[in-house]
Amino acid sequence: MASLLRQRGYFYAQFYDSSRRPQRKKIPLKTKEKRAARRLLGRMEDKCALGEYDPWTDGREHELFGWEPRPKQDLSTLGKAKAAFLDDRAHLRPETLRTYDEVLRLFVGFLGEGFATERLRSRQLERWLASTDSLADATKRKYIKHVGYLIRYLVERGWLEEDISKQVGLNECVIGKKGRRKGLKRLSRKSKKATGCKV
């Protein structure tokens, strides 16, 4: 089931399926014209019914939108990956882009522009966060969340096997009760049980 939404003057197609996660998928139609948006939504629904289009996996990367597969990008270094990621997100609000740029500049600056993306592991993220010890825990959570977007971008494009940002815990197990820090290293299942954290 699909419907049209309008946000900041632009139309979006929103699809709903209770068996999918997330249940709602919003696709930017990149038009302010309601008539054009309705036509495009109709074609999307037709392709869905025929099994030729899936909003959850295809998004805008489909012939419906004039999309053709791009040549494989060179994301071999963090510097190249950061530049490509920010370029890919150019449609976002300027404030959002600025936040991505600020956080990723710090992260890439810590490891180096030439750091090979295939060598990226959760321990590098942990070392980077440990180097920001003077920052508030909420800021560290924001940092890992935003670096996680870059990591997932690399996973989607085949440069990393898994989302390593999910292996970095900034919960009570890592920070410690009442703000007491225990160091940014992953805890074993046994030590998590000992601290009363969920395993």
Side-chain angles (χ1 to χ4, degrees):
M1 181 175 149
S3 58
L4 274 182
L5 296 177
R6 192 174 196 171
Q7 292 182 338
R8 296 187 194 92
Y10 286 91
F11 282 97
Y12 293 76
Q14 180 168 272
F15 288 81
Y16 176 82
D17 184 342
S18 60
S19 67
R20 306 289 291 267
R21 293 290 176 267
Q23 291 182 342
R24 286 180 175 80
K25 181 67 176 177
K26 193 164 59 173
I27 311 294
L29 300 179
K30 297 191 177 182
T31 182
K32 292 183 175 184
E33 302 294 324
K34 189 169 190 176
R35 192 171 170 186
R38 279 190 174 149
R39 277 199 313 269
L40 190 50
L41 179 66
R43 290 201 299 264
M44 292 167 81
E45 289 178 313
D46 289 345
K47 292 282 187 185
C48 272
L50 294 170
E52 297 173 4
Y53 174 71
D54 182 350
W56 280 264
T57 57
D58 296 327
R60 284 192 58 85
E61 296 182 356
H62 193 274
E63 62 185 22
L64 279 165
F65 306 100
W67 179 84
E68 293 179 12
R70 288 179 290 185
K72 189 171 181 181
Q73 290 176 294
D74 180 7
L75 305 175
S76 59
T77 66
L78 278 183
K80 291 175 182 177
K82 173 187 169 246
F85 172 78
L86 293 174
D87 184 55
D88 188 68
R89 298 299 190 267
H91 64 281
L92 298 175
R93 293 185 309 174
E95 303 81 24
T96 306
L97 269 181
R98 192 164 40 251
T99 303
Y100 281 144
D101 187 43
E102 288 170 2
V103 174
L104 294 178
R105 183 173 36 83
L106 294 171
F107 176 62
V108 173
F110 179 77
L111 290 176
E113 295 260 337
F115 188 90
T117 53
E118 63 184 14
R119 290 180 44 225
L120 201 53
R121 301 290 181 269
S122 59
R123 65 178 171 270
Q124 276 100 22
L125 276 71
E126 292 167 351
R127 277 182 35 231
W128 172 58
L129 287 173
S131 75
T132 64
D133 204 41
S134 61
L135 296 177
D137 298 331
T139 304
K140 291 187 179 190
R141 285 188 183 92
K142 180 182 105 171
Y143 278 14
I144 201 64
K145 174 184 171 187
H146 283 79
V147 169
Y149 291 122
L150 173 64
I151 301 297
R152 286 185 286 283
Y153 175 79
L154 290 168
V155 170
E156 287 166 10
R157 279 150 184 80
W159 287 88
L160 286 176
E161 293 292 318
E162 60 181 331
D163 181 1
I164 57 172
S165 70
K166 300 292 185 193
Q167 299 169 14
V168 180
L170 278 181
N171 51 30
E172 190 174 270
C173 293
V174 174
I175 295 167
K177 296 183 193 261
K178 298 181 184 173
R180 181 173 51 83
R181 302 182 192 285
K182 293 184 177 182
L184 287 164
K185 54 188 178 185
R186 282 176 289 151
L187 301 173
S188 67
R189 292 176 67 84
K190 188 175 178 181
S191 56
K192 281 183 180 178
K193 285 181 181 175
T195 58
C197 296
K198 291 181 183 176
V199 180

